[in-house]
Amino acid sequence: MKKAISTMVKLFSIFGFLLFFLGCGEADPTKFFAIQLEGNGNKFQQNQEVGITLKNKKEAHVSSVHYTLDAKELSESNGQIRLSAKTLGNKELVAKIRLGDQMVEIKKKIKLLAESSPEIYTYEILNTYPHDQTAYTQGLEFHNGILYESTGKRGFSTVRKVNFETGEVLDKIDMDTDVFGEGITLLNDQLYHLTWQKRMGYVYDPNTLEKKKDFSYGKSREGWGLCNDGSKIYKSDGTEKIWFLDPGTLEEMGYIETVTNKSIFNKANELEYVNGKIYANVYLKESMMIIDATSGAIEGVINFGGLKNKIRKGANWDEGNSVLNGVAYHKERGTFFVTGKNWDKLFEVQIRKKD
């Protein structure tokens, strides 16, 4: 008997809930609620406390409301929540509303930005080496003491092995004339190589440069830069996203978005991974970002202004495109090597915070 009465009460509760919204001429109860954040803005910084209210247009009886961000519940105290997530960028703040026995979810799009502004870094030139000025540099990485380099432009794209001290090209392969080569990285004795707009990459034997297989992109827009942390590959695609690739399947397993404390930034080009940070050339700029590889926060900016003035402008020089591009970390020396598109020099530098 008690069970039957409980069932009837539940049915009446559901029926009353439906009657309320259907009587208002709406079948979708989410249209009667909205999340309102302090200042009516949509940009907030990591760990920022912000006032929050639930706009209840029909003054329906709300039993409870819980807020989540990236499926993690946010604690509310005195109408305030602290916005915090493992990764930054474009997010959906979710309110889970209980109306009697019914649950309603509503969402609000926000941008979660870095907690603090990037620190400014500069550089010291330790050594200068010759570099092939015909190379429109797209990717740069050391492996077993050899500098691997990829170059771009259709009809001129190559993957090569270089003696960094002399600039001598030890071995190279030429791409098909319709291929615009982009970034490279080496992991588990495999050399991975991107193309720009063909939505296809290649895997080579790093010793012989023999092509072993092709792979296709997933949701990423284009192919720009590559690096790896020893277990997964990072891929930039010309947007704010840096994707994670499984090195075995080359499938995209997720992404981070690159952000400062003021905006979402979409200019990461050539990449290098060092100690939990991604060093990324800023597209068409004489600077480089230091990005936290977990959150996407741009923690530092390296000003490489002045390097371009040390380059001799040759026949291949293009004032608009012959910019800084190419960064490789030499683990044994603890230094970075940088160059640019059609630059005649490769610079070994020490990066340090600006005084």
Side-chain angles (χ1 to χ4, degrees):
M1 184 67 178
K2 288 182 179 179
K3 186 176 180 180
I5 292 172
S6 175
T7 302
M8 290 179 66
V9 168
K10 185 174 289 188
L11 288 171
F12 278 121
S13 175
I14 295 170
F15 183 66
F17 170 81
L18 292 172
L19 277 181
F20 173 81
F21 289 105
L22 290 172
C24 296
E26 291 284 353
D28 183 4
T30 63
K31 294 182 179 180
F32 294 107
F33 298 97
I35 300 171
Q36 289 190 324
L37 295 172
E38 185 178 344
N40 291 322
N42 70 337
K43 291 184 180 180
F44 304 94
Q45 294 176 344
Q46 173 81 307
N47 294 316
Q48 181 177 344
E49 287 193 357
V50 59
I52 188 167
T53 57
L54 182 68
K55 189 174 181 181
N56 186 345
K57 299 177 184 178
K58 296 296 182 180
E59 297 184 356
H61 176 69
V62 174
S63 302
S64 64
V65 57
H66 298 278
Y67 298 100
T68 64
L69 191 63
D70 286 353
K72 178 184 176 183
E73 187 167 340
L74 304 176
S75 60
E76 181 187 357
S77 177
N78 298 320
Q80 298 272 318
I81 58 170
R82 183 187 297 273
L83 295 172
S84 177
K86 183 178 179 181
T87 61
L88 306 177
N90 292 291
K91 300 288 178 183
E92 282 189 332
L93 178 62
V94 179
K96 296 183 177 182
I97 308 163
R98 180 170 290 280
L99 301 164
D101 290 335
Q102 303 302 304
M103 289 296 296
V104 175
E105 283 193 5
I106 61 170
K107 300 176 181 180
K108 182 178 181 65
K109 292 182 178 181
I110 65 169
K111 299 179 188 298
L112 189 61
L113 306 179
E115 194 167 5
S116 56
S117 59
E119 296 188 271
I120 306 301
Y121 289 74
T122 187
Y123 64 95
E124 176 188 355
I125 299 175
L126 303 179
N127 291 294
T128 303
Y129 302 102
H131 180 252
D132 179 9
Q133 197 164 29
T134 67
Y136 193 78
T137 304
Q138 299 290 74
L140 212 61
E141 188 163 335
F142 279 103
H143 180 66
N144 294 335
I146 299 295
L147 184 64
Y148 286 76
E149 182 174 13
S150 60
T151 69
K153 288 194 172 180
R154 293 180 179 87
F156 300 93
S157 293
T158 67
V159 174
R160 51 181 69 184
K161 297 161 72 172
V162 179
N163 181 327
F164 75 90
E165 294 179 306
T166 65
E168 177 190 1
V169 177
L170 304 174
D171 193 10
K172 75 169 183 173
I173 53 172
D174 297 315
M175 302 290 102
D176 292 339
T177 56
D178 66 335
V179 171
F180 196 119
E182 286 282 349
I184 56 170
T185 196
L186 292 102
L187 177 62
N188 300 330
D189 206 33
Q190 307 257 45
L191 171 59
Y192 300 90
H193 179 216
L194 296 176
T195 65
W196 180 26
Q197 294 176 320
K198 285 180 70 70
R199 300 192 56 77
M200 179 177 290
Y202 311 115
V203 182
Y204 306 95
D205 182 322
N207 302 303
T208 64
L209 298 185
E210 178 185 358
K211 187 167 75 169
K212 300 169 71 174
K213 64 178 180 180
D214 302 340
F215 66 93
S216 300
Y217 303 164
K219 294 181 180 179
S220 59
R221 192 182 73 172
E222 296 175 348
W224 285 42
L226 284 178
C227 68
N228 75 85
D229 64 2
S231 61
K232 64 176 174 289
I233 296 172
Y234 298 84
K235 173 184 183 288
S236 60
D237 71 345
T239 73
E240 69 277 5
K241 295 180 176 68
I242 294 180
W243 296 82
F244 313 138
L245 306 187
D246 181 295
T249 65
L250 282 307
E251 291 181 9
E252 294 165 0
M253 309 302 291
Y255 59 84
I256 54 173
E257 297 182 24
T258 55
V259 306
T260 68
N261 61 318
K262 294 186 180 296
S263 66
I264 296 175
F265 197 70
N266 62 352
K267 298 293 184 181
N269 196 6
E270 220 273 280
L271 309 177
E272 180 77 328
Y273 179 96
V274 183
N275 298 328
K277 312 298 178 186
I278 297 172
Y279 291 73
N281 285 118
V282 180
Y283 181 57
L284 296 181
K285 300 292 184 182
E286 306 307 310
S287 59
M288 193 178 295
M289 298 178 285
I290 304 174
I291 303 164
D292 183 271
T294 299
S295 69
I298 300 171
E299 299 181 337
V301 176
I302 309 161
N303 181 3
F304 278 106
L307 274 189
K308 195 173 182 179
N309 296 332
K310 301 180 183 297
I311 305 303
R312 178 181 57 84
K313 299 178 181 181
N316 296 306
W317 191 263
D318 180 339
E319 194 61 43
N321 291 304
S322 294
V323 295
L324 178 81
N325 199 51
V327 51
Y329 182 69
H330 197 295
K331 186 176 180 180
E332 290 71 27
R333 298 163 77 111
T335 57
F336 288 87
F337 285 70
V338 298
T339 188
K341 301 175 181 183
N342 303 129
W343 285 20
D344 68 341
K345 294 181 178 65
L346 173 72
F347 299 96
E348 182 180 10
V349 301
Q350 193 79 55
I351 295 170
R352 57 178 174 79
K353 285 184 183 179
K354 189 173 182 179
D355 297 331

